Amino acid sequence: TMDAHRIGKRLVALRGARRREEVAKAVGVSFSALCMYETGKRIARDAVKVRLADYYGVPVEDIFFAGMSRNETNGGKQA
């Protein structure tokens, strides 16, 4: 399973000096939703994951799947 707290820390690091309001508006989520993603209370839906990754200019996997074993990220198939 995804580690919501670890993902939240990555999202905070990526946001850097940007204001939460700015990021939330840019990716089309509420301020409170972004707060929940960043504090690990919730994990974004797939469509939001893609928008966050695009906004920050990083692959979705780097935010939401980094640190997982290969088996967890690609259904057990060898890369």
Side-chain angles (χ1 to χ4, degrees):
T1 60
M2 288 186 228
D3 182 335
H5 290 284
R6 192 181 299 167
I7 291 165
K9 285 179 182 155
R10 282 191 206 117
L11 289 170
V12 171
L14 285 165
R15 183 166 53 82
R18 298 177 187 96
R19 289 168 49 248
R20 274 184 175 152
E21 293 90 344
E22 177 190 331
V23 175
K25 186 175 181 183
V27 298
V29 298
S30 67
F31 176 80
S32 62
L34 184 63
C35 289
M36 285 192 270
Y37 305 149
E38 290 190 352
T39 55
K41 290 183 172 66
R42 223 163 90 186
I43 293 176
R45 289 172 300 135
D46 287 351
V48 176
K49 288 178 186 145
V50 171
R51 293 201 301 268
L52 282 162
D54 286 348
Y55 179 78
Y56 289 129
V58 297
V60 171
E61 294 80 8
D62 285 5
I63 304 174
F64 296 95
F65 300 102
M68 297 177 91
S69 74
R70 177 168 285 138
N71 287 346
E72 289 175 290
T73 56
N74 70 2
K77 294 185 285 294
Q78 291 300 311

